[in-house]
Amino acid sequence: MLLKNFSYFLIFILAVITISEMIGFQSIPIGPFNIGLLPLVFAIIITMVLGLQIFRKGIWKKVYSDRNISFAGKYLIFIMLPLMARYGADVAPQIREILQVGWVFIIQEIGNLGTVLIGLPIALLLGLRREAIGATLGIGREGELAYISEKYTLESKEGRGVLSIYIIGTLFGAIFFSVFAPIMLDLGLRVEALAMASGVGSGSMMSAASATLVARIPEMESTILAYASASQLLTSFLGTFTMVFLAAPLQRFMYKTFTRGDK
């Protein structure tokens, strides 16, 4: 029975991928902007809608079983490994051009402190306490998830905070980036800057942003993918050190200052 349910799960995944690719990239004009929607966005929307409780009956109940959901979350990192290899392949041909502006990529990592400087006070004003520590340490991807789980465990209030952001980012992050990147392009920002900014530490968000930029300016595909991949690699590497040695101590100091040690 377990094997049969897992077979439904795999068939469902292939069906969603096929349908999403058949829909393809869609550009929707909204006023002066053109919003690009990737196949990835449609895949997320389809799985979100069918995952609603009202649909989880019959065969969908087997597809969205607790075991299948746990499997998908647990082994997501292995699915991302080929994407990491692609990052390296995209960076290599443009390495000289990237090294010429290398300091910009490093300075960009300071932006990782923004979630603490801006997000923590807002979270506290909204009534969160220890949950805010997990929710505002970063963008809530694998690095932050690992750090919080090791330091506080995922059963703690801090763990619930980072898990909430992880889930929200998984569901809506790619959609937001696929919409936000072309809007910024229409507002006059350089495509190179937007490509660099898309490497925030999330493979799905980076792919969504860079792919919409490529769809808008296909003649700069190699540059966009190289800048986005380089930024993503540096964020994944340097972002960990920024989080541990800068963001986490700053967050603890701000939390104690704002709450006066309130638990």
Side-chain angles (χ1 to χ4, degrees):
M1 179 61 69
L2 292 177
L3 182 60
K4 187 176 182 180
N5 289 348
F6 189 67
S7 298
Y8 288 137
F9 181 58
L10 293 178
I11 293 172
F12 171 72
I13 292 173
L14 292 175
V16 170
I17 293 173
T18 302
I19 294 172
S20 301
E21 290 295 333
M22 289 177 65
I23 295 173
F25 178 85
Q26 299 294 324
S27 181
I28 302 176
I30 298 180
F33 305 113
N34 287 312
I35 297 176
L37 298 179
L38 298 171
L40 175 63
V41 175
F42 296 111
I44 293 174
I45 293 174
I46 291 171
T47 52
M48 282 177 56
V49 171
L50 294 179
L52 294 174
Q53 196 63 41
I54 58 174
F55 293 112
R56 294 176 66 173
K57 301 176 182 178
I59 189 173
W60 299 124
K61 188 175 181 179
K62 298 177 182 179
V63 169
Y64 286 91
S65 67
D66 293 340
R67 182 178 291 271
N68 286 341
I69 293 173
S70 175
F71 174 86
K74 184 178 181 180
Y75 293 102
L76 178 64
I77 186 62
F78 293 103
I79 300 173
M80 301 303 293
L81 290 177
L83 183 61
M84 296 300 293
R86 172 66 187 274
Y87 294 162
D90 287 335
V91 170
Q94 306 289 333
I95 190 64
R96 289 186 178 179
E97 184 179 355
I98 289 170
L99 289 176
Q100 290 177 356
V101 292
W103 64 272
V104 178
F105 288 102
I106 296 175
I107 293 297
Q108 177 183 299
E109 296 309 311
I110 298 177
N112 288 337
L113 301 178
T115 56
V116 175
L117 293 172
I118 300 174
L120 181 62
I122 294 175
L124 294 175
L125 286 174
L126 292 174
L128 298 179
R129 282 298 179 263
R130 287 171 50 198
E131 296 87 353
I133 294 176
T136 64
L137 183 58
I139 63 170
R141 307 319 297 162
E142 287 74 15
E144 290 81 12
L145 196 67
Y147 178 84
I148 293 295
S149 64
E150 288 293 326
K151 188 172 181 62
Y152 301 101
T153 77
L154 293 180
E155 287 73 30
S156 65
K157 292 181 179 180
E158 294 85 354
R160 289 199 292 272
V162 72
L163 274 175
S164 299
I165 297 300
Y166 184 83
I167 293 171
I168 291 172
T170 300
L171 294 178
F172 301 107
I175 297 175
F176 174 82
F177 270 74
S178 67
V179 171
F180 193 67
I183 289 178
M184 292 295 100
L185 185 63
D186 288 336
L187 288 175
L189 271 70
R190 292 187 58 177
V191 67
E192 294 91 344
L194 292 173
M196 290 170 58
S198 67
V200 295
S202 167
S204 61
M205 296 178 193
M206 188 281 290
S207 299
S210 59
T212 53
L213 293 174
V214 168
R216 293 289 299 276
I217 311 179
E219 64 272 16
M220 294 188 66
E221 178 179 2
S222 61
T223 299
I224 292 171
L225 293 180
Y227 274 58
S229 299
S231 178
Q232 178 72 9
L233 284 172
L234 284 173
T235 299
S236 300
F237 177 68
L238 296 178
T240 301
F241 295 97
T242 303
M243 173 185 66
V244 174
F245 295 111
L246 293 178
L250 175 63
Q251 186 188 57
R252 287 195 294 269
F253 171 77
M254 291 178 60
Y255 182 84
K256 291 179 180 179
T257 301
F258 292 148
T259 63
R260 296 182 180 178
D262 180 26
K263 300 295 184 181

